[in-house]
Amino acid sequence: MSLAVDLHRTVAQRAVARSWPLLLPVPAALAAWLGVTHPRVAMALALVAVVVVTVALRPTLAAYALIVVTPLTAGIDRGSAIPLLRPNEAMAALVGGALLLRWLVTAREGWRPRLRLTSIEWSLLAMAVASSVLPLLFMALRQRPITSDDLLYALVMWKFAAVYLIVRVSIRTEHQVRWCLRLSIGVAAVVAVIAIFQALGLLHVREVLSTYFVPNGNVGALANPRGGSTLALPAAVADVMIYNLAVLVGLSRRTHHAKVLAGFGVLFVIAAVSAGEFSSALGLVIGAVVAAIIVRRPRMLLLGLPLGALAALVAWPIIAVRLTGFGTASGLPDSWAGRLRNLQSYFWPQLTDPGNLLLGVRPSARVVVPSQATGYVWIESGYTWLVWGGGIPLLLAFVWFVWASIRHAGVVSRARHDAVGAAATGLLVGVVVMTVLMLFDPHLTYRGAADALFILAALAQTRQGQGSPPAPEAANTEEAVAT
């Protein structure tokens, strides 16, 4: 089987290589003209061409590029560095286009795609439709104006579905999955260090981040002692740390580098605490418990006590600031009171209408409020966001995704102790933590963190391994998307 796959890839790569010379004359002439008249545009197009050709020849680089680029650039506001897009979105579009080009060049004549989706993929498709097509259709039928904000938010789940698909079709073997996890851990470590230094106000990291990584244009947010890092969102940083911690636990079952993994684990715990979010601390505890149950090492939780104490000691200046919030007359931090006030003022009243509760209000998850620093108020409740954006259909699709992911990841994480099993461990922990934290915020769509979760979902369904049992759905009629 592996020999046939390698042979097919070799033939495909040769076909792509033979096709490029036929396409070169016109682009070469255009490049020469641009090099004289618009050198910066020429350099950008040259870089694009290099990425496209490289990914077309080596599809695995598409997944590697997304895993590396996304955490480091997701916090750059859309349009500030690249017109209309965030850099990670542009990268996804670029490598996705390269994979499509590869398919167009190498597809056999008369070949017809067969759509055979797994349960996770059907649920992801259902969430995408329920958060875009259905609410927009209902808005049109109810004669509600559809704004550009609605259209942008309607594309969110499709974007994550595209990220999932890119990884799913480009990663085929356990060895490739292992490299994906290594890259994820390495980049997460960079994000963690930046988050810790930012939260503690060290090495002028906040000033450096203020050049591009400004949360929704609100420069004042960087003054808060919280580690938003290159995601410009502290809660998303904490989610990424928790997901990678779970991957570390999965990898620890079959490795000789336990001390190295432990060092990364300490760093990720400190970074998660440095986010300065109480919900993230809860997620960290839940993730640790679930991970210990999966690998059947309850003693691991005992290590969490000194590790938590160390994290609290390092991040104490951040924790102390957050604890002062409980000194208000109501006993609740101002941020919590403001969150509840916004829900009661702008969102929950509209959901009392039975029609809105059933079909949703609109895809846009924010309302214009000029008095706010960013000019908007966002929905700070994940389950409110589900009902607001897609009504009962979106809520049911989300439940389906959670059930399908936990079911698949639970079986794979127990059956396989290789990199695919570690990815499944990360997926299982990530989905459980995300489901709980959706009580507070829409963690399902947090930039960077959501990308990481759907990438783990794709990796956890890789079937080719090295002496490992197959994934549970391999014996069923469901199969991956045919490519």
Side-chain angles (χ1 to χ4, degrees), residues 328-343:
T328 61
S330 63
L332 295 176
D334 291 335
S335 60
W336 291 14
R339 176 195 302 256
L340 182 60
R341 183 169 56 251
N342 289 337
L343 290 172

Side-chain angles (χ1 to χ4, degrees), residues 84-416:
L84 303 177
L85 298 173
R86 297 180 190 272
N88 61 300
E89 295 170 346
M91 178 60 73
L94 192 58
V95 298
L99 292 175
L100 178 60
L101 178 62
R102 172 189 170 86
W103 175 80
L104 291 174
V105 172
T106 61
R108 296 185 296 273
E109 184 177 356
W111 182 85
R112 295 181 179 180
R114 294 180 298 171
L115 191 64
R116 297 181 179 180
L117 306 182
T118 65
S119 295
I120 293 177
E121 289 159 356
W122 277 117
S123 65
L124 180 54
L125 179 61
M127 284 197 298
V129 172
S131 63
S132 59
V133 177
L134 292 183
L136 291 176
L137 177 61
F138 294 147
M139 287 181 69
L141 293 175
R142 291 185 283 186
Q143 297 183 341
R144 292 181 177 177
I146 297 176
T147 66
S148 59
D149 226 29
D150 291 315
L151 296 177
L152 287 174
Y153 273 92
L155 294 175
V156 169
M157 288 308 304
W158 290 106
K159 179 188 72 173
F160 294 128
V163 170
Y164 169 91
L165 182 61
I166 289 169
V167 177
R168 188 80 170 91
V169 301
S170 61
I171 299 299
R172 296 291 185 164
T173 68
E174 189 272 345
H175 179 72
Q176 293 168 355
V177 173
R178 185 171 295 276
W179 269 106
C180 287
L181 298 183
R182 289 171 177 170
L183 290 173
S184 177
I185 291 169
V187 176
V190 175
V191 174
V193 171
I194 294 174
I196 294 170
F197 286 176
Q198 176 192 0
L200 297 176
L202 301 176
L203 300 181
H204 304 286
V205 169
R206 294 179 186 175
E207 289 78 2
V208 174
L209 292 175
S210 66
T211 54
Y212 280 105
F213 302 92
V214 180
N216 302 301
N218 182 17
V219 180
L222 291 174
N224 297 326
R226 299 185 187 182
S229 192
T230 52
L231 298 180
L233 190 61
V237 171
D239 286 354
V240 170
M241 298 303 120
I242 294 170
Y243 301 163
N244 279 278
L245 269 170
V247 169
L248 288 175
V249 172
L251 291 174
S252 68
R253 292 187 291 183
R254 188 177 175 180
T255 183
H256 300 293
H257 304 288
K259 293 182 179 180
V260 176
L261 296 182
F264 280 112
V266 172
L267 179 64
F268 293 163
V269 170
I270 296 175
V273 175
S274 298
E277 298 281 349
F278 288 105
S279 59
S280 298
L282 173 63
L284 191 59
V285 173
I286 294 173
V289 172
V290 174
I293 293 174
I294 293 173
V295 299
R296 299 177 181 178
R297 293 180 182 176
R299 292 183 180 179
M300 239 174 44
L301 296 176
L302 297 177
L303 297 176
L305 297 177
L307 184 56
L310 175 62
L313 180 63
V314 174
W316 178 250
I318 306 159
I319 298 173
V321 172
R322 295 293 287 153
L323 290 177
T324 57
F326 290 96
T328 61
S330 63
L332 295 176
D334 291 335
S335 60
W336 291 14
R339 176 195 302 256
L340 182 60
R341 183 169 56 251
N342 289 337
L343 290 172
Q344 292 174 336
S345 301
Y346 302 107
F347 302 106
W348 286 347
Q350 296 192 54
L351 291 178
T352 57
D353 184 324
N356 289 341
L357 186 63
L358 178 62
L359 305 176
V361 179
R362 62 189 324 123
S364 178
R366 63 184 184 179
V367 296
V368 177
V369 180
S371 61
Q372 296 293 316
T374 59
Y376 296 94
V377 166
W378 278 265
I379 299 177
E380 295 183 283
S381 169
Y383 292 101
T384 298
W385 167 78
L386 287 172
V387 179
W388 175 278
I392 299 301
L394 181 54
L395 180 61
L396 292 178
F398 171 77
V399 172
W400 184 8
F401 170 74
V402 170
W403 174 83
S405 299
I406 291 177
R407 175 177 173 270
H408 176 84
V411 175
V412 176
S413 61
R414 289 193 298 269
R416 301 183 63 160

Side-chain angles (χ1 to χ4, degrees), residues 12-59:
Q13 290 167 2
R14 289 176 180 173
V16 173
R18 287 196 300 267
S19 301
W20 286 117
L22 302 176
L23 304 175
L24 285 178
V26 174
L30 179 61
W33 176 77
L34 285 175
V36 176
T37 59
H38 300 84
R40 291 186 179 180
V41 175
M43 290 180 61
L45 291 178
L47 180 60
V48 167
V50 170
V51 172
V52 170
V53 173
T54 304
V55 171
L57 293 174
R58 300 289 182 183

